[in-house]
Amino acid sequence: MLSLTLQALFSGVLAGGYYAMVAVGLALVFGTMRIINLAHGELVLLAAYVAYAAESQYGLNPVMAIPFALVIVGASAALVYALLSRIDQDREINSLILTFGLGIILTNAVLMIWAADIHSTTAPWFQESVVVADTLFAMRSEVVFFVGGLVLMAGVHGWLNHSWQGRAVRALSSNRNAAKLMGVNPRRTEILSFLVAALLATFAGIAIYTGKTIFPSLGHVMTVKAFIITVLAGMGSIPGVLIGAVMIGCIESLTVTYVSASLQELAGMILFLVVLFVMPSGLFGGRKAIAR
Amino acid sequence: MKRFLVPAALAVAYVAVPLAFGGNPYVMGLIVAALTIGGIAVAWALLGNLGGMVSFGHAAFFGVGSYTSAVLSMKLGVPPLAGLLLGGLGAAIASIATMPALRLKGPYFALAILAYAHIFQILATEMTGVTGGAGGLLSIPRFPTLLGVDLGSKTGGYVIILTIVVLSAAAYAAIRRSAWGLALKAMHDTEIATRVIGVPSTHLKAAMLALSAFITGVVGAFNAHFINFLEPDYAFSGAWTVLPIAAAIFGGYRTVWGPVIGALTIYLLDQLVFKELMPHGHQFVLGMLLVGMILLSPGGLAPILGRRLEGGQRHAHA
Amino acid sequence: MLTLDGVQVSFGGVSALKGVSMTVSAGETVGLVGPNGAGKTTLFNVISGIVRPTAGDITFRGHSVLKAPEWKRARLGIGRSFQIARPLHHCTVRENLIVAQRFGAGRVDHERIDEILDLLKLGHKADRDAVSELALTEHKALEVGKALATNPHLLLLDEVLAGLETNGKRAFMEQLALVRDRFNLAMVVIEHDIPTISALCPRVVVLNFGEIIAEGNPGAVFRDPNVVRSYTGEAAA
Ligand SMILES: Nc1ncnc2c1ncn2[C@@H]1O[C@H](COP(=O)(O)OP(=O)(O)O)[C@@H](O)[C@H]1O
Ligand SMILES: [Mg+2]
């Protein structure tokens, strides 16, 4: 019983690692543009399918596919940005619908090209199980990408806090007008946030392809999950988002272990609604209020 | 010109369409399905335009409406026509559960409603005793024969859904013209200014949410008795959200008839053209239409057509 | 009619009102003056329900309205204008008044709307867009009109005369006096111009740093050294 719980928590933590990569990207873009990019999860999906295509057609190891995925996902993110920045009226409603539409386009493009089948890497190296602390099992991919993801997010965290550009992103997020007065170029900074989000999405996509299974509607699922996590954590900080992501990961895997796999999403959704209504600024009391 | 447009359109819809296509169940079925989407699109647009809320979860209200009516008619023998209203009522009651979301802004509201839709779908799948679970409900009672008209036929179904859509659009138009409509539209930009002159803004939004859910529920109930079959994945399918949004945006969600025109155009195009061209992922085109419309003409098709009709006169916002 | 009892407001630790008590009787016109940032607008926000006080009580026509939301207070008879005009979007001038009548007064009385439009000299703009097609004075008039259309007993006017040149100010002030007498209103008027306020209000209340520092008839109050100091102090800063 205890070992089952520990195992569930361990799996949940590992899943939280890539959930966090997706959620941080969503939050970064929200910070600079005040827009929820509903096509964000589809960027993750795209990266995963690029890896699938590279492996199934050219026999490329998924890790080797990362550069290609980066280019394609980065270009797609830039395109999303370019389209978004053309909206001039009713920005809130129109940006939601625009990115919603872009998500539909990407999902269906994937569906047209690769059909609705479920895929996963065929490289055995990723799928071999490893034992941690003598009792906890995981796939090698999960561990590798969890650690890799932490390193990457630590990098982004450092970049946000110490680099000039990262500070520009933070300045724009906390006070747009003041940032402009301080000489921050909003367009360049917004694009930058999109590209960093794309970088994180790419890694998350490869992580999912090697450690889980991919299918076309995954993008939508990832967007919703990332949004839920940012609501839990508040949009504020990367460590906060990471904790929120790990929490969702654990709740899901506990639900799967003890209740039913079909209820996996339900637990997260209910937690989301509860937090939204009870603590609108997130579990960690972020400054940015979500509600009126 | 404009004065005769609505009566003429109604005459065509009630008389000419059944005469022309009544003998062709395939075409009639398509038109009914398009109007089903149109009904939800009107409800979605009412919430978006008057309530200022984007919902990604109308599938929840559709599903609740269809199950309410289907279950009541199968278990308690409620006649399907009465079931329509009860389905609407069920959805409106379900919308009460979503009302805490009203204090959330833009994307938070949109995704909170989406979360509700997921929860409702999962609940419907799990409550096997009532809903038949994933196996679904078979042989849901069909509409009766009334005054010699077989409402259970394709043409009968057409008359019912047409009436639902027309009444919904008429209600929407009436609200839009009333002080309620004025207050609702003003609220998006100046909520405080409306509250200090006596407008209970949250109540008004709640009323719009309930009405939108009601209409969607009625449409869902209609669909259940029309196709006589339900399963959770179908009744709560995301398609009941995506298609109406595409229709409303394409036709113009700030107009009354735009969503209906959009639904007829989009659904028929989708089924007759895109689905033939690309059997997988034909919703791709819907996405393109959404994106294109938001970028090129955020007001949708109806305002453009409207301007033509009025000879280029100024077109009031919403 | 209106009684404030020890009303306090603070915004994140900064106290904007520090225990304000005052009363306004039926039919009375009170001037509310004080330097910028004194808390005048905040006081209106508290009375109309936009800001919740951290302490104190507000009674209107015999009942505490502390827990009533803005719209309920409007229905009870508290009407207000905003310092920066807030016309209803996507509405004509007349529609602004229709909404106010329907929700604030319970039913639409077109005669009263016409009368208000007439009194405020907005008749010729009645069917124009309220946001984009009005001049400054007309925006101010519409602010007053929206409040009047709710059939108020008390009218709170936040700098409706500010920004008008001397003649415009006098004309508008005369309209306000007419409106007050016609509808039998109590009014609280925020205004910086001393001659104007002295002409319109038999009694003034002076607010400084969230406290009432003087009140009484304008002649005496504006000679009060405390009041003079609060103004010159502001001028120096
Ligand atoms: N919503 C608010 N949030 C924070 N501070 C506020 C808010 N409204 C007013 N204040 C502060 O309260 C004080 C009084 O403001 P206000 O009532 O607008 O003054 P007045 O109308 O007399 O010029 C000022 O210091 C102002 O900055
Ligand atoms: Mg002020």
Side-chain angles (χ1 to χ4, degrees), chain A residues 66-227:
Chain A
I66 288 178
F68 301 102
L70 270 180
V71 171
I72 291 173
V73 174
S76 305
L79 184 66
V80 173
Y81 173 75
L83 295 177
L84 268 177
S85 59
R86 291 193 44 183
I87 291 179
D88 49 9
Q89 48 173 318
D90 289 333
R91 191 163 174 273
E92 190 176 284
I93 276 192
N94 287 348
S95 67
L96 269 178
I97 293 167
L98 179 77
T99 56
F100 182 65
L102 289 170
I104 295 176
I105 292 177
L106 286 171
T107 301
N108 285 280
V110 166
L111 198 59
M112 280 194 289
I113 303 174
W114 290 291
D117 307 331
I118 288 176
H119 298 290
S120 167
T121 184
T122 49
W125 186 81
F126 288 106
Q127 314 236 313
E128 277 162 14
S129 62
V130 290
V131 181
V132 179
D134 285 342
T135 52
L136 300 172
F137 288 87
M139 263 189 260
R140 184 174 286 132
S141 151
E142 290 179 296
V143 178
V144 167
F145 278 97
F146 180 76
V147 175
L150 284 188
V151 172
L152 190 61
M153 281 184 284
V156 173
H157 187 61
W159 173 77
L160 279 174
N161 285 292
H162 300 298
S163 80
W164 189 86
Q165 293 158 325
R167 287 202 192 116
V169 168
R170 288 199 305 147
L172 202 62
S173 306
S174 63
N175 188 331
R176 198 172 177 89
N177 290 327
K180 277 192 209 160
L181 289 176
M182 281 155 50
V184 171
N185 177 340
R187 287 187 65 92
R188 204 160 53 206
T189 311
E190 286 166 2
I191 295 180
L192 209 58
S193 69
F194 254 98
L195 291 179
V196 174
L199 171 77
L200 290 162
T202 303
F203 272 84
I206 310 286
I208 298 174
Y209 177 61
T210 54
K212 309 259 164 187
T213 51
I214 61 170
F215 45 92
S217 61
L218 178 72
H220 178 70
V221 176
M222 288 318 295
T223 305
V224 173
K225 215 181 288 287
F227 186 77

Side-chain angles (χ1 to χ4, degrees), chain C residues 35-42 83 158-159 190 192:
Chain C
N36 276 327
K40 306 180 295 295
T41 298
T42 303
Q83 190 170 345
D158 195 347
E159 307 203 13
I190 297 178
H192 288 293

Side-chain angles (χ1 to χ4, degrees), chain C:
Chain C
M1 159 139 57
L2 174 76
T3 309
L4 303 184
D5 184 15
V7 169
Q8 296 180 17
V9 169
S10 61
F11 295 110
V14 181
S15 57
L17 293 178
K18 304 165 186 161
V20 171
S21 301
M22 67 181 282
T23 57
V24 179
S25 321
E28 191 187 19
T29 305
V30 180
L32 183 59
V33 299
N36 276 327
K40 306 180 295 295
T41 298
T42 303
L43 192 64
F44 276 14
N45 286 345
V46 168
I47 300 170
S48 55
I50 296 171
V51 167
R52 301 272 142 156
T54 39
D57 195 12
I58 306 163
T59 50
F60 183 69
R61 308 184 84 211
H63 302 284
S64 172
V65 292
L66 213 50
K67 293 204 173 67
E70 302 95 312
W71 55 271
K72 256 192 193 145
R73 297 193 203 191
R75 291 174 179 190
L76 286 172
I78 300 178
R80 71 164 290 171
S81 74
F82 286 101
Q83 190 170 345
I84 297 168
R86 294 189 188 175
L88 305 186
H89 282 56
H90 317 305
C91 287
T92 64
V93 168
R94 186 187 300 278
E95 286 170 343
N96 267 262
L97 302 193
I98 289 177
V99 172
Q101 279 254 290
R102 170 64 187 78
F103 288 97
R107 65 183 199 94
V108 181
D109 173 353
H110 289 281
E111 271 173 35
R112 175 154 173 143
I113 287 179
D114 285 332
E115 189 180 2
I116 293 171
L117 287 171
D118 224 38
L119 279 168
L120 295 171
K121 309 213 181 314
L122 282 170
H124 64 297
K125 289 278 179 91
D127 297 313
R128 301 295 190 80
D129 183 78
V131 175
S132 58
E133 297 182 66
L134 298 188
L136 176 69
T137 325
E138 292 160 347
H139 269 300
K140 303 246 175 200
L142 178 57
E143 276 301 301
V144 179
K146 273 189 302 173
L148 281 179
T150 64
N151 297 4
H153 298 288
L154 169 69
L155 197 54
L156 309 170
L157 300 178
D158 195 347
E159 307 203 13
V160 279
L161 298 164
L164 306 180
E165 35 69 50
T166 320
N167 284 335
K169 210 170 239 190
R170 185 170 320 122
F172 200 56
M173 192 177 82
E174 278 160 15
Q175 287 173 32
L176 288 179
L178 271 176
V179 162
R180 173 189 60 193
D181 299 341
R182 165 66 186 82
F183 296 115
N184 198 10
L185 298 172
M187 295 204 303
V188 181
V189 184
I190 297 178
E191 167 59 30
H192 288 293
D193 187 51
I194 292 175
T196 307
I197 205 91
S198 307
L200 191 63
C201 311
R203 179 161 79 94
V204 292
V205 171
V206 186
L207 210 55
N208 193 26
F209 290 118
E211 283 172 308
I212 294 180
I213 56 167
E215 81 177 281
N217 78 60
V221 163
F222 290 121
R223 257 178 269 117
D224 183 327
N226 270 331
V227 173
V228 174
R229 212 176 304 122
S230 77
Y231 269 90
T232 50
E234 188 220 359

